[in-house]
């Protein structure tokens, strides 16, 4: 399963239509995970034109988005949790392990800072933002490949 992870797209102010480099990756996706701060439902509608979307509520999302604060799913045997704000950097890995004890992978956003870290039997993954890079050198998305109940590949790639 090919998964594209997104966060912090901030439409329509920052996301004024899917950027071409992001669209190229989404065309290959079996699933899109959006870790919040979509802001408006139109972004999710656009993403659904590429692949099914799972999304969690971000602190800037309108209530009409109707997304849950957290989400836990099994994708081809891999236990995946999602949350927008994982809290302070210090102790994040341990905190996410406590919050999602059954998870193999936690996808989150909020900071706009890409992160891929593992420990305590858990990988935490922030894809950054493709449209609002803030102090980062590039806008980014995450690419995940799930096979046989494991995360076979995981990378954060620049797109803007």
């Amino acid at each position: 399963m090919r998964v594209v992870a997104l966060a912090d797209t901030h439409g329509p102010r920052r996301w004024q239509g899917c950027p071409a480099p992001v669209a190229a990756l989404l065309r290959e996706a079996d699933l899109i995970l959006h870790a919040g701060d979509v802001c408006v439902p139109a972004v999710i509608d656009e993403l659904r034109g590429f692949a099914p979307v799972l999304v969690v509520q971000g602190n800037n999302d309108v209530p009409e988005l109707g997304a849950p604060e957290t989400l836990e799913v099994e994708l081809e045997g891999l236990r995946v949790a999602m949350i927008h704000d994982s809290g302070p950097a210090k102790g994040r890995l341990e905190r996410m392990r406590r919050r999602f004890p059954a998870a193999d992978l936690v996808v989150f956003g909020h900071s706009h800072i890409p992160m891929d870290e593992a420990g305590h039997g858990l990988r935490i993954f922030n894809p950054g933002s493709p449209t609002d890079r803030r102090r980062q050198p590039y806008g980014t998305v995450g690419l995940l490949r799930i096979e046989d109940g494991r995360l076979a590949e995981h990378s954060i790639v620049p797109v803007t």
Side-chain angles (χ1 to χ4, degrees), residues 46-66:
E46 182 179 10
L47 292 174
R48 284 188 179 125
F50 294 98
V53 180
L54 296 176
V55 60
V56 291
Q57 189 82 13
N59 60 300
N60 287 298
D61 290 334
V62 297
E64 295 80 32
L65 191 65

Side-chain angles (χ1 to χ4, degrees), residues 116 123 125 143-147 150-155:
D116 184 2
R123 177 167 300 280
F125 191 84
L143 301 179
L144 307 167
R145 189 167 51 85
I146 301 168
E147 286 182 0
R150 66 181 186 84
L151 191 56
E153 292 180 18
H154 47 91
S155 60

Side-chain angles (χ1 to χ4, degrees), residues 3-16:
V3 178
V4 174
L6 298 169
D8 301 292
T9 49
H10 291 275
R13 191 164 75 77
R14 296 288 186 172
W15 178 283
Q16 298 169 350

Side-chain angles (χ1 to χ4, degrees), residues 8 22 61 84-85 103 128 140:
D8 301 292
V22 176
D61 290 334
H84 179 62
D85 185 355
T140 55

